[in-house]
Amino acid sequence: NGPFYLNDTLVFKYAPPNETTFPHSVYLLPDFWSFQNCDLKRARKIGEVTSGGGQGFEFVLKRWQPYYFACGEHKGIHCKDGLMKFAIWPLIRWYN
């Protein structure tokens, strides 16, 4: 849930694969077009299928830019189904 701010830390948690669960991973896609089309060719894998277990793994929103995330397993089928993809543009926190 948002809103998200610059320098916030996202925590990705998902079950590691086993006999009854489908494997998941996390890719950072380079642009909106890749996100819309679930095109993983230029995406960077930031979470392996085992990375989401336990406490999960962290990703810090270090830049004021859009971030596009998607599950990339099995050629991005969960992304293509619209189930496991999301976009964030972090807000800037203005302090007085």
Side-chain angles (χ1 to χ4, degrees), residues 1-5 8 88 91:
N1 294 326
F4 297 100
Y5 293 90
D8 276 358
I88 294 174
L91 302 172

Side-chain angles (χ1 to χ4, degrees), residues 4-12 57-62:
F4 297 100
Y5 293 90
L6 195 60
N7 294 315
D8 276 358
T9 301
L10 304 180
V11 178
F12 291 87
F57 71 94
E58 296 181 347
F59 182 89
V60 179
L61 304 171
K62 294 180 182 177

Side-chain angles (χ1 to χ4, degrees), residues 66-87:
Y67 289 87
Y68 305 103
F69 300 97
C71 177
E73 294 307 298
H74 295 276
K75 298 182 181 177
I77 190 145
H78 284 160
C79 179
K80 291 172 184 166
D81 288 343
L83 299 174
M84 293 187 168
K85 70 181 197 175
F86 68 99

